[in-house]
C-alpha cells in the first residue's frame, strides 16, 4: 500500500525547497491529511532540525488560495480574472495554439521558462526537457542563481566539489563569506556551533550584518562587489609573510609562482581603499587564516551576483590551496557539492530529441528583452517552477512583456502568483508531497527519494503528468515522452561517468530513503581540471577571454546614483515562495530598507519612516531600518515580497538584466539606487 493511500501514520519525505540543506522529513497524517511536518532525526546531516518555512508547510499545502483546477483568462492580462475549465479543454487549447504557432512562426516562437521552485530532478529537468526538446522550442539558459560562481569555481577546482560538510565540525576557523547561512543554510550553522564548542572561531564577511553576522565571533563588513580584492589582499599577505604551504603548492597546484608575483599589487592599503575593510583587519584576517588549521570557507551565493561574480568566486576558491587546507580534515571550502551527486542529465533530459542543433538559447535573466526586443519574438511562454514577474531582473520590463496581447502564456502553479495573473491558461500544480521524485543536495553528499505521501490536491497534476498530456495532445509518438517516474529515476542514476553513484539505484533508495555518495579518495587526487591540479593560473580562462590569474575587476557604475543596492534573501521566504502565504508573511512582518545611520541623517530619514527607492529602471516603497548593519553608501533589502494591493515592493524592478562576467549569471547585487524620504 502506498503512503498516499494510507489515512494515518508517519511517513518519510524530503524537503523540496531550493536550499542546500535538503532536509530529511517525517510527515504526520490523520484522516488522509498532513497535520504536522517534522525533521527526520535519523538523517545523518539534518538530524531532525528544520526551518520555519518547512515547519509551517502544512498551511501552504492546504491554503484556501491554492489552485485546484485549470482556468482560462476572461479579463485583461494582469487583472487576475479567470473561469474554471476542464483539463481536456486546457490541453486542447494549449496544443492547438502551439500547432498554429509552429506552422506560422516556427517552434522557436515557444519558450519554456522554469527554475527550481521544486528541486526534484523530475519536476525541474525531466519530462519537461524531453517534451520541449521534441517540440523544438527555444532553449532557456537557466543561469539566474549560481551560474557565474559555478563557472568561476570550476576554473579553479574543476567542478562543483568541496569538502564534506559533516567534516566541518573539525574546523578551527570557519569563514562564512557572502552567505546568510542562518536563513539559507541552517545546518552548516549547526555544524559551526559544534566546531565552536571545540574551539573554532567563526568569521562572517558580508555587506550586511544580518542574522549570520550577529552569530559570528567577528563580523567584517565589506563594500559590495569587492570580495575578489579582499581575497587577493589575503593572498598578498600569505605570500609576503611565508604563511603558504609550499609543499602543497608544488604538488597540487599550477601557477603559484605567477600568483605570488601577481598579488604584489594587492597590498593592504590598496585593498582597504577598494573594500572598505580597515588595513589592520586585513592583516588580522590573513594571519588568522594563515596560522589556523583546519580552516574552512563556506562560499555563498551573494558575491557571485555581481558583474565580476565569476572572478570573485574563482579568487576565493584559490585560498585553501595556499595554506594546504584540502589535505586537512575540516579544511578547504564549499561553494557547492553537486558534482558528487551528478546524475545522468543526458538520459534524463534527452537532448537528442532536439532536431535543430543550433536552436536559439535565451538567457532567463533577460526575459524582458526576449519578450519585447527580439527580431523573431517569443509568441508563447510556458512558466513552471518560478515566478518571473517578481523574480526576474528588470521586473517592469518583464511585466510589460507579459502584457502583450499576442503572447500566449501558460502557467503551471500552486497559487495565483503575479505571473499567473498574466496567463491565458493556468494549470494547477501538485506539491512535492504528492509526487514521486529524486533529490540531490548541492551541499551535503546525500541523495534522497520522495514518494507521494498524500493524494493530489483537487485536480492538480505534477509536471510529469502534464507533459504526458501535452505530448499526447501534440501527437508525439516517442516512447520516452510517456515513461514513468520510476523509469526516469533509474535512467538518471545510471551514470557510468560518476563513480560516486555506483552503489545507488532505485531499489536501494526505495529501501533506505537516502544514500550517501561513495567518496573514498581525496578531492585533490582526483580533480577534473585540465591539468588535474588546482589551477591558480588557468590557461582555459585565458582562452575564454578572462585573465588567467585571479584579478579584481570593479563592477559597473550602473548609473549616477549614490547607493549600492543589495536585494538579499530573507528568513521566511525562498525567493517568492511563501510570499503569498499569510503565516509566512506574518513571521517576516514587512519589507525594510537597511541603511547606515550617517546616510539616513544626511537625508533626514528616521527609523520606521517610509522611503522611495528608485533608479532609471523603476521604484519601490519600503520602510527604513536605520543603524550600523551596513556601510555608508550601501542599502540592503531582504526577500522578494508579493505584489499585494496598496504596496509597491517589487525590488527586482530596480535590478539590471545585464549578464555577469561568467556563465551569463545574474547581477542582482550590482545596481545603484537613490533614496528619498516620503512626506
Amino acid at each position: 500500500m502506498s503512503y498516499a493511500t494510507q489515512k494515518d501514520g508517519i511517513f518519510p519525505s524530503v524537503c523540496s525547497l531550493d536550499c542546500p540543506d535538503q532536509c530529511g522529513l517525517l510527515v504526520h497524517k490523520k484522516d488522509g491529511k498532513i497535520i504536522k511536518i517534522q525533521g527526520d532525526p535519523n538523517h545523518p546531516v539534518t538530524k531532525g532540525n528544520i526551518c520555519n518555512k518547512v515547519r509551517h508547510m502544512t498551511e501552504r499545502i492546504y491554503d484556501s488560495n491554492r489552485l485546484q483546477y485549470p482556468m482560462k483568462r476572461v479579463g485583461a492580462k494582469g487583472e487576475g480574472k479567470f473561469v474554471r475549465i476542464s483539463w481536456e479543454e486546457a490541453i486542447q487549447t494549449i496544443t492547438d495554439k502551439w500547432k498554429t504557432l509552429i506552422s506560422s512562426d516556427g517552434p522557436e516562437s515557444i519558450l519554456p521558462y522554469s527554475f527550481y521552485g521544486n528541486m526534484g530532478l523530475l519536476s525541474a529537468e525531466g519530462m519537461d526537457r524531453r517534451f520541449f526538446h521534441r517540440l523544438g522550442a527555444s532553449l532557456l539558459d537557466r543561469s539566474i542563481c549560481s551560474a557565474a560562481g559555478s563557472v568561476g569555481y570550476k576554473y579553479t577546482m574543476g567542478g562543483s566539489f568541496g569538502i564534506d560538510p559533516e567534516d566541518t565540525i573539525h574546523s578551527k576557523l570557519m569563514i562564512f563569506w557572502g552567505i546568510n547561512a542562518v536563513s539559507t543554510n541552517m545546518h552548516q550553522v549547526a555544524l559551526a556551533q559544534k566546531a565552536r564548542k571545540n574551539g573554532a572561531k567563526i568569521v562572517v564577511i558580508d555587506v550586511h550584518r544580518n542574522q549570520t553576522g550577529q552569530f559570528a565571533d567577528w563580523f567584517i563588513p565589506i563594500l559590495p562587489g569587492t570580495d575578489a580584492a579582499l581575497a587577493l589582499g589575503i593572498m598578498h599577505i600569505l605570500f609576503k609573510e611565508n604563511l603558504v604551504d609550499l609543499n602543497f603548492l608544488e604538488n597540487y597546484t599550477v601557477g603559484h609562482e605567477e600568483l605570488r608575483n601577481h598579488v604584489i599589487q594587492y597590498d593592504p592599503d590598496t585593498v582597504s581603499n577598494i573594500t572598505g575593510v580597515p588595513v589592520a583587519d586585513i592583516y588580522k584576517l590573513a594571519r588568522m587564516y594563515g596560522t589556523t588549521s583546519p580552516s574552512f570557507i563556506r562560499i555563498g551565493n551573494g558575491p557571485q551576483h555581481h558583474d565580476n561574480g565569476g572572478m570573485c568566486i574563482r579568487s576565493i576558491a584559490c585560498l585553501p590551496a595556499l595554506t594546504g587546507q584540502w589535505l586537512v580534515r575540516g579544511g578547504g571550502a564549499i561553494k557547492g557539492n553537486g558534482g558528487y551527486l551528478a546524475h545522468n542529465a543526458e538520459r534524463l533530459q534527452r537532448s537528442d530529441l532536439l532536431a535543430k542543433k543550433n536552436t536559439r538559447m535565451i538567457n532567463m535573466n533577460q526575459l524582458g528583452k526576449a519578450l519585447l526586443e527580439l527580431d523573431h519574438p517569443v509568441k508563447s511562454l510556458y512558466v513552471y517552477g518560478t515566478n518571473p514577474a517578481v523574480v526576474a531582473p528588470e521586473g517592469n520590463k518583464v511585466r510589460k512583456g507579459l502584457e502583450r496581447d499576442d503572447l500566449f502564456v501558460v502557467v503551471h502553479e500552486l497559487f495565483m502568483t503575479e505571473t499567473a495573473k498574466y496567463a491565458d491558461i493556468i494549470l494547477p500544480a501538485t506539491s512535492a508531497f504528492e509526487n514521486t521524485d529524486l533529490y540531490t543536495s548541492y551541499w551535503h553528499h546525500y541523495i534522497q527519494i520522495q514518494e507521494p505521501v498524500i493524494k493530489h490536491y483537487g485536480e492538480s497534476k505534477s509536471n510529469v503528468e502534464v507533459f504526458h498530456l501535452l505530448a499526447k495532445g501534440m501527437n508525439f509518438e516517442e516512447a520516452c515522452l510517456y515513461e514513468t517516474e520510476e523509469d526516469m529515476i533509474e535512467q538518471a542514476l545510471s551514470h557510468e561517468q560518476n563513480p560516486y553513484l555506483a552503489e545507488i539505484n532505485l531499489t536501494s533508495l526505495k529501501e533506505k530513503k537516502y544514500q550517501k555518495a561513495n567518496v573514498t579518495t581525496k578531492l585533490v587526487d582526483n580533480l577534473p581540471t585540465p591539468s588535474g591540479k588546482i589551477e591558480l593560473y588557468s590557461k582555459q580562462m585565458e582562452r575564454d577571454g578572462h585573465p588567467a590569474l585571479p584579478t579584481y575587476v570593479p563592477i559597473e557604475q550602473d548609473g549616477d546614483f549614490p547607493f549600492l543596492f543589495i536585494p538579499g534573501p530573507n528568513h521566511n521566504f525562498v525567493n517568492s515562495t511563501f510570499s503569498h502565504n499569510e503565516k509566512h508573511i506574518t513571521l517576516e512582518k514587512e519589507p525594510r530598507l537597511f541603511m547606515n545611520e550617517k546616510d539616513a541623517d544626511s537625508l533626514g530619514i528616521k527609523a520606521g519612516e517610509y522611503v522611495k527607492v528608485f533608479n532609471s529602471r523603476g521604484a519601490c516603497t519600503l520602510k527604513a531600518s536605520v543603524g550600523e548593519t551596513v556601510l555608508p553608501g550601501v542599502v540592503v533589502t531582504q526577500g522578494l515580497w508579493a505584489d499585494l494591493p496598496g504596496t509597491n515592493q517589487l525590488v527586482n524592478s530596480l535590478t539590471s538584466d545585464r549578464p555577469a562576467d561568467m556563465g551569463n549569471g545574474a547581477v542582482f547585487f550590482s545596481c545603484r539606487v537613490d533614496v528619498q524620504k516620503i512626506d
Side-chain angles (χ1 to χ4, degrees):
M1 184 183 294
S2 71
Y3 302 147
T5 58
Q6 297 180 54
K7 288 192 173 185
D8 304 295
I10 302 174
F11 306 96
S13 186
V14 53
C15 179
S16 65
L17 297 177
D18 188 357
C19 167
D21 297 48
Q22 201 167 92
C23 298
L25 304 177
L26 295 178
V27 175
H28 297 244
K29 284 174 61 178
K30 184 177 181 180
D31 297 328
K33 293 184 67 174
I34 297 174
I35 58 169
K36 179 182 177 182
I37 298 172
Q38 67 176 144
D40 181 354
N42 294 317
H43 190 285
V45 180
T46 61
K47 296 183 181 297
N49 299 311
I50 56 174
C51 67
N52 273 340
K53 295 182 277 285
V54 181
R55 188 172 292 110
H56 299 294
M57 184 77 83
T58 303
E59 297 188 39
R60 174 175 167 83
I61 294 167
Y62 299 114
D63 192 310
S64 60
N65 293 317
R66 188 169 163 191
L67 301 174
Q68 297 191 55
Y69 42 76
M71 295 185 288
K72 68 177 179 181
R73 180 172 57 85
V74 293
K77 287 201 169 187
E79 190 177 3
K81 289 186 177 180
F82 295 86
V83 296
R84 181 176 184 172
I85 59 174
S86 67
W87 270 101
E88 290 76 13
E89 181 180 348
I91 297 298
Q92 186 75 46
T93 303
I94 296 167
T95 54
D96 283 352
K97 181 66 175 180
W98 284 352
K99 289 172 185 176
T100 300
L101 282 176
I102 290 170
S103 177
S104 62
D105 296 80
E108 289 173 87
S109 64
I110 302 165
L111 176 67
Y113 194 92
S114 71
F115 207 63
Y116 291 85
N118 180 337
M119 286 294 292
L121 295 181
L122 309 190
S123 296
E125 52 180 278
M127 195 58 69
D128 58 318
R129 307 293 176 95
R130 296 182 183 193
F131 174 83
F132 285 114
H133 285 149
R134 171 62 180 84
L135 191 72
S138 288
L139 300 171
L140 184 70
D141 188 2
R142 293 172 172 84
S143 55
I144 201 167
C145 183
S146 60
S150 295
V151 173
Y153 190 87
K154 184 177 181 179
Y155 280 129
T156 305
M157 298 298 296
S160 184
F161 301 99
I163 68 169
D164 186 337
E166 294 178 82
D167 285 343
T168 62
I169 59 171
H170 302 289
S171 304
K172 295 302 180 184
L173 173 63
M174 194 173 293
I175 301 175
F176 289 93
W177 199 321
I179 178 172
N180 185 5
V182 170
S183 297
T184 65
N185 191 190
M186 63 173 283
H187 294 91
Q188 184 64 76
V189 174
L191 293 166
Q193 289 173 319
K194 290 183 178 181
R196 179 184 264 162
K197 289 179 181 177
N198 293 327
K201 294 297 183 183
I202 312 299
V203 177
V204 172
I205 303 168
D206 213 320
V207 299
H208 180 211
R209 194 172 185 269
N210 47 40
Q211 291 189 64
T212 309
Q214 295 167 33
F215 165 77
D217 296 305
W218 181 23
F219 172 68
I220 303 173
I222 189 171
L223 289 171
T226 66
D227 303 83
L230 180 58
L232 289 158
I234 294 170
M235 295 181 205
H236 172 99
I237 295 168
L238 293 176
F239 277 117
K240 187 174 182 179
E241 298 190 357
N242 296 317
L243 297 175
V244 297
D245 185 333
L246 283 175
N247 186 57
F248 184 91
L249 291 172
E250 289 287 347
N251 288 291
Y252 293 102
T253 74
V254 171
H256 69 92
E257 288 296 344
E258 292 91 335
L259 182 63
R260 179 191 293 272
N261 294 327
H262 175 69
V263 299
I264 290 172
Q265 63 189 297
Y266 295 101
D267 60 274
D269 288 306
T270 299
V271 170
S272 179
N273 288 330
I274 294 170
T275 63
V277 179
V279 169
D281 286 352
I282 297 172
Y283 274 110
K284 178 182 175 182
L285 177 62
R287 288 165 178 165
M288 182 184 291
Y289 188 73
T291 59
T292 307
S293 182
S295 62
F296 163 66
I297 304 175
R298 179 66 172 100
I299 306 173
N301 270 358
Q304 72 182 346
H305 284 154
H306 287 289
D307 298 294
N308 57 12
M311 182 61 86
C312 170
I313 303 305
R314 184 272 197 278
S315 302
I316 296 171
C318 292
L319 287 170
L322 268 64
T323 58
Q325 289 304 303
W326 293 110
L327 293 182
V328 185
R329 190 178 187 190
I334 297 175
K335 161 65 172 70
N337 266 327
Y340 291 115
L341 298 172
H343 61 283
N344 195 324
E346 183 54 43
R347 289 183 185 173
L348 183 61
Q349 299 178 17
R350 294 297 301 269
S351 64
D352 59 296
L353 294 170
L354 184 63
K356 183 182 176 185
K357 301 308 178 185
N358 63 340
T359 294
R360 71 175 175 182
M361 180 173 285
I362 293 173
N363 185 342
M364 70 182 306
N365 297 308
Q366 298 180 327
L367 179 61
K369 287 182 179 178
L371 296 179
L372 296 174
E373 300 175 18
L374 287 179
D375 291 336
H376 300 286
V378 173
K379 292 292 187 72
S380 181
L381 193 67
Y382 186 97
V383 182
Y384 57 108
T386 188
N387 182 16
V390 172
V391 175
E394 293 256 20
N396 286 331
K397 189 184 290 185
V398 172
R399 291 184 288 275
K400 184 177 179 182
L402 291 171
E403 289 175 355
R404 278 176 37 203
D405 287 331
D406 66 334
L407 179 69
F408 178 69
V409 179
V410 182
V411 175
H412 187 203
E413 252 293 356
L414 281 82
F415 292 92
M416 183 62 73
T417 63
E418 291 78 2
T419 306
K421 290 179 180 179
Y422 292 94
D424 295 282
I425 299 290
I426 295 177
L427 306 175
T430 51
S431 72
F433 296 114
E434 299 152 54
N435 300 339
T436 297
D437 220 324
L438 183 67
Y439 289 87
T440 59
S441 171
Y442 51 89
W443 170 64
H444 62 65
H445 289 182
Y446 290 84
I447 190 167
Q448 304 178 73
I449 192 169
Q450 169 71 59
E451 296 178 275
V453 293
I454 54 174
K455 295 180 180 179
H456 285 14
Y457 184 83
E459 296 181 15
S460 61
K461 294 185 185 298
S462 70
N463 278 4
V464 173
E465 292 170 322
V466 172
F467 287 108
H468 283 168
L469 293 174
L470 289 171
K472 184 177 180 181
M474 294 299 298
N475 302 315
F476 294 158
E477 297 180 351
E478 288 81 359
C480 66
L481 299 175
Y482 302 96
E483 290 180 330
T484 67
E485 289 90 340
E486 287 78 8
D487 292 333
M488 289 190 289
I489 289 173
E490 286 183 326
Q491 291 160 16
L493 293 175
S494 177
H495 193 23
E496 296 81 3
Q497 294 179 349
N498 183 2
Y500 306 124
L501 294 183
E503 305 299 320
I504 302 174
N505 54 56
L506 176 63
T507 301
S508 64
L509 273 177
K510 284 199 169 199
E511 176 188 347
K512 299 176 182 178
K513 306 308 174 188
Y514 45 78
Q515 288 181 262
K516 190 173 186 179
N518 184 26
V519 182
T520 57
T521 58
K522 287 188 173 68
L523 173 61
V524 290
D525 290 330
N526 194 30
L527 284 176
T529 58
S531 65
K533 297 183 177 184
I534 298 171
E535 301 213 339
L536 306 175
Y537 183 102
S538 169
K539 292 182 179 179
Q540 185 60 53
M541 290 189 74
E542 211 165 37
R543 288 191 288 268
D544 292 343
H546 305 292
L549 290 162
T551 302
Y552 169 65
V553 180
I555 62 175
E556 292 194 22
Q557 177 62 23
D558 193 61
D560 189 21
F561 300 99
F563 295 100
L564 289 160
F565 176 60
I566 307 294
N570 67 17
H571 195 69
N572 291 292
F573 305 165
V574 180
N575 294 315
S576 71
T577 301
F578 302 110
S579 68
H580 300 88
N581 303 115
E582 185 176 345
K583 179 68 178 184
H584 294 82
I585 295 171
T586 301
L587 289 168
E588 195 62 38
K589 296 183 175 63
E590 61 183 330
R592 292 175 290 166
L593 183 77
F594 296 89
M595 60 189 311
N596 189 275
E597 58 188 13
K598 293 180 181 178
D599 294 326
D601 287 346
S602 70
L603 296 171
I605 296 169
K606 293 182 171 58
E609 293 183 328
Y610 283 94
V611 295
K612 177 184 177 183
V613 188
F614 65 96
N615 58 20
S616 58
R617 289 181 283 268
C620 57
T621 302
L622 303 167
K623 183 180 282 189
S625 181
V626 177
E628 295 186 337
T629 62
V630 297
L631 293 174
V634 179
V635 291
V636 171
T637 64
Q638 289 187 312
L640 297 178
W641 291 75
D643 188 17
L644 301 175
T647 67
N648 180 23
Q649 54 194 25
L650 300 184
V651 295
N652 277 335
S653 299
L654 309 173
T655 54
S656 172
D657 65 359
R658 65 180 180 270
D661 56 346
M662 299 176 193
N664 289 320
V667 297
F668 289 114
F669 297 169
S670 281
C671 69
R672 303 188 74 91
V673 299
D674 205 345
V675 179
Q676 287 181 354
K677 179 179 177 179
I678 296 176
D679 295 326

